[in-house]
Amino acid sequence: MSTETHKQKEALFYLSFMLLETKCYRFYLSGMVESFIYIADVKYVLEKYSRYFGADDFKTKRTALKKVEFLEVNLQSRLNAIQELKSILMRDLR
């Protein structure tokens, strides 16, 4: 699967990222010590799911994904701050 424009390449990247986040590639993972996936399997999955994406639908999902990523980073920083506060409180109890 190849792309001709930057827009197509970006669409393919976000589709692959969404499939990774939803664990669609898990079925195709191979290897005992280190997990890997065959390129042919990646191409198959991308072709299979790319037909479900229209241009408008993709833009909406990409925007939503960017918002969720921002919220995830924000949440992670808050969780780190809470963990640090817990550590400080536990040190004070000693």
Side-chain angles (χ1 to χ4, degrees), residues 16-68:
S16 184
F17 183 69
M18 287 178 203
L19 291 170
L20 177 69
E21 288 295 311
T22 56
K23 297 179 179 31
C24 288
Y25 292 125
R26 185 186 301 177
F27 177 76
Y28 299 96
L29 289 177
S30 302
M32 292 282 202
V33 177
E34 256 186 65
S35 297
F36 63 91
I37 186 168
Y38 292 103
I39 297 293
D41 290 336
V42 172
K43 286 181 180 180
Y44 170 75
V45 172
L46 288 174
E47 287 174 1
K48 178 180 172 183
Y49 286 98
S50 65
R51 61 185 148 155
Y52 296 115
F53 277 87
D56 295 333
D57 189 37
F58 178 75
K59 287 178 185 177
T60 304
K61 288 183 180 182
R62 184 180 62 188
T63 303
L65 182 62
K66 285 182 179 182
K67 287 179 184 177
V68 168

